[in-house]
Amino acid sequence: MEFSGFIMKNFSVVILGAGVGTRMRSSLPKIMHNLSGKPLIKWVIDAVSSLNLKPDNIVVVLGYGADKVEKYLSEINIKNLKIVYQKEQLGSAHAVMQAEKVLKNYSGNILVLSGDVPLINSKTLSALIKNNDKTASSLTVLAAEGTNLFGYGRIVKKDGFLEKIVEEKDANISEKRINLINSGIYCFDKNLWKALSKVKPNNSKKEYYITDTVAILKSMGKSTSLTVTKDENEVKGINNRLELSQAEALLKDRKVKRLFESGVSIIDTSKVYISYDAKIGQDTVIYPGVFIDTSVIVGKNCILKGSSYIIDARIDDGSIISYSYINGAIIGKNVKIGPFSHIRPGSVLKDNVKVGNFSETKKAAIAKNSKVSHLSYIGDAEVGEDVNIGAGTITCNYDGINKHKTVIGSNSFVGSNVNFIAPVKVGNNALIAAGSTVTRDVPAGKLAIARARQELKRRIIK
Ligand code: UD1
Ligand code: CA
């Protein structure tokens, strides 16, 4: 159903996340498990936050591992978010009841979501809320036609209308065959609280089930209805590690499809990991073994090859990354990194820079056309344009207490195996002889040699 012309009324949100998540077999509360770079609960919050109309309140119900979730929620700082606690996990209806103290006098719609149903789409949520108003219902249940039914509540209809929801454990054989499943996502009106007060733990688990509100509202003479999503994947619940990994695969499929559509090549989709939020430009080619974690932007015509891990980085057009680890860096155009480079936080590599074999950079600004081709460590450094850094060069930036800076001017040439004892400055156009240990500043245009003179002695053979 589509109600695009319909104006949505105000709504508040309740997210259920107090459950132990026993089937995860984890010390971490289920809703804090990571899915493609963010906890399950954040996926749900993001779906709600991307609705055009913003919720008046987002009430999160916490219980098991509440301190961990609370800490996370305070870090991400969401507007209008309130936390309530469910001390004992007596069931999903009991969990929603904990939000009553916040929303008791609230007259808008109340959207109830499960913290363990992360792939929900905001368009579907908006259709659900609009349906509740349009049909003047006290409850609209979001359902899906499922192929994988096990564990889900089944939607029982009578004469084409929603009758009740039966849980897997309480369903008879014919009910188990129903392929219309409950998503665990509902839109209620203000009759929610009254309906909840009538829920009894009459089921095999002896829990207070939110799903019982369907039959209860009917008995109160209120109408209830259904919104059915065509995409069963978006209502997949995460109850164990297998389902978590399946959700990860679903997200990857979605992502890969979008990247193909936008002109990105992925040689073997089964051998890459690409975070949901990666932005990748046209004609970039991704080879097997590449892991693109969160907050990565890659430009056009780049090549990403072999066992590379990239997180929190921007890589501009035409750059080539091979067999390297990049974390917290800004990389310009036509830069070559690798094989086997480690580009660490605060590295800013400008256009045409090359960082090669077994080299490491950290908090290093390297200006255009400069090269660090072999076996070097460049940390807390500023390197000018067109500088060649010879093999084995080390910035000795740490004295055991503080970090110090090395500055190397443009057009300078650093021979192999040079140590810069920071803080130290080298001017433009300088030449540092191979094997030098540089302890004092080198003015522009000078040649510095700081190594012991070679001596020749007679070889004694015994
Ligand atoms: C629930 C639904 C089922 C639906 C499925 C969809 C019920 C009774 N069943 O089953 O119809 O098909 O979701 O994924 O609701 N929670 C609490 N406190 C509790 C119990 C649960 O906060 O005391 C929270 C959980 O953290 C979770 C949500 O409620 O986020 C659902 O609970 P869960 O135990 O996962 O229910 P399911 O068996 O998946
Ligand atoms: Ca669940």
Side-chain angles (χ1 to χ4, degrees), residues 16-20 23 30-31 61 86 88-95 113-117 151-154 165-167 181-184 186 205 207-211 235-239:
L16 305 185
V20 178
R23 290 165 279 180
K30 178 163 71 178
I31 57 172
V61 186
Q86 184 195 23
E88 270 180 292
Q89 278 72 60
L90 303 179
S92 47
H94 181 255
L113 298 121
S114 288
D116 67 347
V117 182
Y152 289 94
R154 308 298 205 283
I165 300 175
V166 202
E167 290 306 297
I181 56 168
N182 171 26
S183 65
Y186 320 85
K205 281 176 86 181
E207 282 188 1
Y208 295 86
Y209 282 170
I210 181 83
T211 45
V235 299
K236 277 233 173 329
I238 312 293
N239 299 296

Side-chain angles (χ1 to χ4, degrees), residues 418 426 430-434 436 438 440-443 446-451:
V418 167
V426 175
L431 171 62
I432 313 293
S436 293
V438 180
R440 285 186 289 143
D441 289 355
V442 178
K446 294 284 184 191
L447 160 66
I449 307 178
R451 64 189 186 212

Side-chain angles (χ1 to χ4, degrees), residues 309-322:
Y309 177 82
I310 307 169
I311 185 168
D312 190 17
R314 197 187 90 204
I315 298 168
D316 291 343
D317 300 351
S319 289
I320 301 175
I321 314 293
S322 48

Side-chain angles (χ1 to χ4, degrees), residues 12 22 24 216 229 238 263 267 337 361 399 442:
S12 282
T22 318
M24 292 302 280
I216 290 170
T229 163
I238 312 293
I267 306 292
I337 294 178
T361 65
D399 59 14
V442 178

